[in-house]
Amino acid sequence: MTLLSRDAERTQLDGALAACMRGDTGIVLVEGAVGCGKSALLRHCADAAHRHGAATVRAAYPDCATDLTTAVGEVPERTPVVVCLDDIDQADAASLGRLTAWVRTTSHTARAGGLLLVLTAADAPSRDAGLDTELLKHPAYTRIRVGLLDRPVTAALVHQHTGAPAARAVADGLHRISGGNPLLLRALLSEPGHVPEPGGPFSRAVLTCLERCGAAAPRLARALAALGDSATTERIASVLRMTPTEAARTLTVLRATGLALGDRLRHAATAAAVLDGMDPTEREELHRRVARVLHASRAEAAVIADSLRACGGIDGSDESGDCGSSGSCGSSGSDWVVPVLREAAQQAMAVDEPERAAACLQLAHASCATEADEHARGEIMLQLAALTWRLSPAAAEQHLEEPLAALRAGRLGAATAGHLARLLVAQGRIEEGAEALSRTTGTDALRELFALPPGGSHPTPPGGEHLSVCAALWTHPGHQDDAKDAERFLDGAPAAQGTHEALAQAVRTLIHTDQPRRAAEWCRRLQEQAARRRAPGLRAMYGTLHAEALLRLGDLAGAEREASTAIRAVAGRGGHFRSAPVAVLVMALTNMGRYDEAARHLEPLVPERTLATVHALPLLRARGQYFLATHRAEAALGEFLDLGRLARRWDLDRPRQYPWRTDAAEALLRLGRHQEAMALIAEQLALPDATGARLRGVALRLRAATEMPRERTRLLTRAVAELRGSGDRLELARALADLGRGFQTLGEGTRAGSVVRRAWGLAADCGAAPLCEKILPGQDPGAPGSARGTVGVDKTGRLSESERKVAALASAGYTNREIAAELFISTSTVEQHLTRIYRKLHISRRRDLPLDLEFDPCESAPLRS
C-alpha cells in the first residue's frame, strides 16, 4: 500500500536510518492500531536500508528460534545493520524477555557500522512493562505514532485505487464505514460496488483486526454487536462479566482501530461480520445473556425483544447467573419474557411494523410453556390473527384454530370468546363466529367491537340473533339512508387496526346501494393508506372491493386489473379470502369473453372448507355466470341455487348484494322454464331489501323476456330508465340491446337501429366482446375498456333541464344529429348545449359524461331552441 499521509513518519524513519549509516545505534517503535500501516512503514525502512547498503534482519516477531545476537554478529563489523521486528505485541513471554535483554545490551555496546532496531506494535490494553521500560531508557529511542486516515486522505486513496477522483459522498461513506483504517478501507475497495457483503473482504478484515487486538477485543466486539444501540460501558461489562474499567480499556482499543465509535461498533456491516463469525450456539447464548442484561437495566421492551428473537427466547431452565460486578441479570425465572414480547408487539404496531410485531407475538406464544400460560397463549393467538391478516390472511386463519378448539373445550373466557367471534366474523366464518358469540355475555359484544351501526329490520334467521349479528358485518344495514350513513362513516373514521372491517362494510354498502363510483373513489384512498403501511392483506381487501365497484360500473378492464393486483398481493398466503378477488376476476374475464382464462382461475378453487366462509358466495356467483356464458345453464342454475341456500343460512339473503334469484331466473329462461323464472323474480321483488335502480332494472329486463312484444317494450323502457341511474353500463347495454330488438319486432326500425347502436357502443366501451357480438355480429369493438365518466351526480345539479337531457342522450351514445332529432332541436343547438355542459362539469370529452342522469330516451319531449 502506498504510504499516503505518512510524510512525517517516513521522515523520522529516514533520519534514524541516516544516523545508523553514520555508525550510530538507535531504536524506533512504530506504534498504532491494527491495520493502520505500521507494517508498511517497516517495509519502507527495510527497503531504504537495502538501497543504502545496510544489512537487514527481519522477523514477524522474535520467537525461540531467533537469536538476534547471533544474527547481527554474522554481519561484518563495519556494515550497518537494520533489525526489523513486526508485531512484537504478538510475541510470547519468553521471546519478549530475550528481546528485552538484547535491547539492554545494545544500550551499552557500540557497533562500528551502526545498528538500528525498528519495532512495530499494535495498541493493546496492556503490554510487557519490562520491554517498555528498557525502550524508554535507551538514549536513542524514538516512538512514532500511526493513526487513522482522515477524510481527504481516504478520498486520495480511493482516487489511487479507482483511477478517478472520488465523489465526496462516496469518499465520506467509505470513511464512515472504515473509520479511516487503511486495512478496512482497502478491503472495502475490493468489494463489488464498495458495498460490504457477508463473508466478503471487509468481513474478513474486521475479524483479522479483532484477532490482532488482543484476547479481550473479539469478546467485547461481540457484546457491542449484540447490544447494538443499547450498548453502554456498564451493560458491556455485565454481559462479559468484567469490570467497567476493563471494558472501557478494551473499548479504547477498538475505537483506535476504527471499529468502534463511542460505545457502539461503527457500522452495521461491522456488527454483522462479528456476529456471523461466531458459532451459532455461542451466538444464541450471547443474545440470551444480552436480553437478561437489558431487562435487568430496564431497557425498552422493543430492544429486549430484538435480543429475545435473536436467541429464540428464554425458558425457565435457562441459567441467569450473576451479570458481573455491576449487578444481577434479574430474576432466575423467565416470567418477564412473555409480557416484554407482547409490549414490544404493541410498540411495533404503533409505528406500523407488522412483521416485527408478528415475530414478537409468535415468540411470546412459543414461550408460554406451562398450563398456567394457557389463557395468555389464547390471547396471543387472537392478537396474532388480528395482526397477521394484514400480512397473510391464510396465516390468520390458522392462528384461530387453537383458540377455537379451546372455546369448544370450555377453556375460553367470555371476553376472549367475544374477541374470537370478532376475528372469525372478520374472516367470513359466520357460523363459527356465532358459535363463539353465544359464549359471551350478550349479543351487543360483536356490534360494539366492530363499531357497527344498528341492524336493519330484517327477520332473524333460524340460527338466532347471534348469527344475525355476525352477518351484519358482511351486508348493508338495510336502512333508507344506508349510502349517506356509509359516506359519513368513511369520512370520519380513521383507517386503524380496529376499523378496517367496518370501513370495508361501508364501502360494500355504497356498492350495493348503486353508488359504485363513490365506492371506487374511497377504495383508492384506502388502498394508498394500506400500501404506506406495508399491509398486503389490507391492500388485497380494499383492492377486491375496488374491483367489485369497477365491475358494477361496467369497467371490466379496471376490475380485472384491481382483482389481479389483489390476488398478487396475497399470493400463496390468501387462504379462503383469495376466493373473493378471484370471483371478481372470473366475472370480469367472463364478461370479456376470455373463458379459458376464467376457467383456469376457477379450477383449483373447490375445497370444501371454502364453502364455510362468506367468500364462497361471490365465488359461486362467478362460477354460475361462467357456466351461463359458456352455454351450461343447468350447471349455472345449480351454482345460483347453492348460493341462495348459503345466503339464507347465514342471514345474508340481500338481493342488492347477492341477487341469486334473478341470476337463477336468467338460467331458467335459457332452459325454457319461464314460470319458475317469473316466480323467482316476483319473490325477489317482494323482499324488503329489493330496492335500488339496478336491482329493479335487471328484474324488469328479465320479466320482459316472458311478455308479448308491446308489453315487453314497455318493461324494457322502464328497465333502461332504472339502469341509467344505477351507474352500471354493462346492464344498461343489455337492457338497451333487448329494447332495440323489441322496437324491431314492433316495426320501429329507425328507433331500433339507434337504440341498438347505443347498446353496442356501451358494450364496446365496457370491453364486453361477447355482448357486442350478440348485439351487432361481426362488428369489431376494438379495445376501449377504460372506465367512463368521473363526474358524479352531485355535480350535474349545475345543469339546466335542457342541458341534462342533452347530456343524458350524449352519455348513452347518441350522435349530435340523433340528439337533435330526438329533442326536436337543431344540431348547432346541441353543440352549444354540449359546450356549456363540458364547462360546467369540468370535463373535455363526450365519454367523461356521467351515466347516472335521470332522463328516459324513449319518452323524450321537444326542447326549445
Side-chain angles (χ1 to χ4, degrees), residues 530-749:
R532 287 196 297 269
R533 293 179 175 180
R534 296 174 299 170
L538 294 179
R539 286 209 318 272
M541 180 179 74
Y542 291 127
T544 301
L545 290 170
H546 193 182
E548 187 178 345
L550 294 174
L551 188 67
R552 280 291 184 95
L553 286 166
D555 182 1
L556 300 180
E560 179 198 7
R561 180 190 66 246
E562 293 299 327
S564 298
T565 301
I567 292 169
R568 287 194 297 272
V570 290
R573 53 187 180 182
H576 301 316
F577 163 77
R578 186 176 179 274
S579 300
V582 166
V584 184
L585 178 60
V586 168
M587 286 190 274
L589 292 172
T590 298
N591 281 300
M592 286 190 283
R594 292 156 60 182
Y595 302 130
D596 290 343
E597 292 180 60
R600 283 198 296 273
H601 287 284
L602 280 176
E603 284 174 2
L605 289 172
V606 287
E608 289 301 319
R609 285 215 58 192
T610 300
L611 297 179
T613 73
V614 297
H615 306 303
L617 303 180
L619 180 61
L620 287 169
R621 187 166 191 236
R623 289 171 63 86
Q625 290 190 359
Y626 167 76
F627 289 141
L628 204 59
T630 52
H631 312 294
R632 287 176 279 178
E634 196 70 54
L637 179 61
E639 299 292 325
F640 297 140
L641 293 178
D642 284 344
L643 190 163
R645 280 190 288 271
L646 282 177
R648 286 196 300 267
R649 190 168 107 191
W650 295 337
D651 192 28
L652 292 173
D653 191 6
R654 308 290 192 279
R656 285 195 291 181
Q657 188 167 359
Y658 302 112
W660 64 270
R661 291 175 180 83
T662 48
D663 288 340
E666 188 159 6
L668 288 166
L669 289 172
R670 299 275 185 92
L671 294 168
R673 296 156 62 177
H674 289 195
Q675 290 300 320
E676 294 174 73
M678 289 297 294
L680 281 176
I681 294 170
E683 180 183 327
Q684 177 168 297
L685 291 175
L687 293 173
D689 189 57
T691 59
R694 183 181 184 278
L695 196 73
R696 290 191 298 269
V698 172
L700 288 168
R701 178 176 66 82
L702 295 174
R703 271 183 56 188
T706 64
E707 299 291 344
M708 298 300 290
R710 192 158 298 281
E711 179 62 15
R712 182 185 310 155
T713 303
R714 189 184 68 82
L715 289 174
L716 288 170
T717 299
R718 288 176 53 195
V720 168
E722 292 282 3
L723 290 168
R724 189 180 299 286
S726 73
D728 192 329
R729 294 177 302 162
L730 196 54
E731 283 297 338
L732 178 59
R734 291 190 178 106
L736 283 169
D738 290 352
L739 179 59
R741 284 190 291 271
F743 284 143
Q744 186 93 32
T745 303
L746 293 175
E748 299 184 32

Side-chain angles (χ1 to χ4, degrees), residues 806-825:
V806 171
L809 291 170
S811 73
Y814 281 71
T815 66
N816 287 1
R817 180 171 297 181
E818 289 170 341
I819 295 172
E822 193 74 28
L823 300 179
F824 305 99
I825 58 178

Side-chain angles (χ1 to χ4, degrees), residues 305-306 308-310 312-313 340-342 344-346 348-349 353-367 380 383-384 387-388 391 399:
D306 286 343
L308 289 171
R309 288 167 53 204
V340 163
L341 287 168
R342 294 182 71 177
Q346 291 178 341
M349 284 303 302
E353 293 183 351
E355 294 91 349
R356 174 177 287 191
C360 289
L361 289 175
Q362 286 167 347
L363 183 56
H365 180 264
S367 301
I380 291 168
Q383 285 181 285
L384 260 175
L387 169 63
T388 55
L391 306 171
H399 289 319

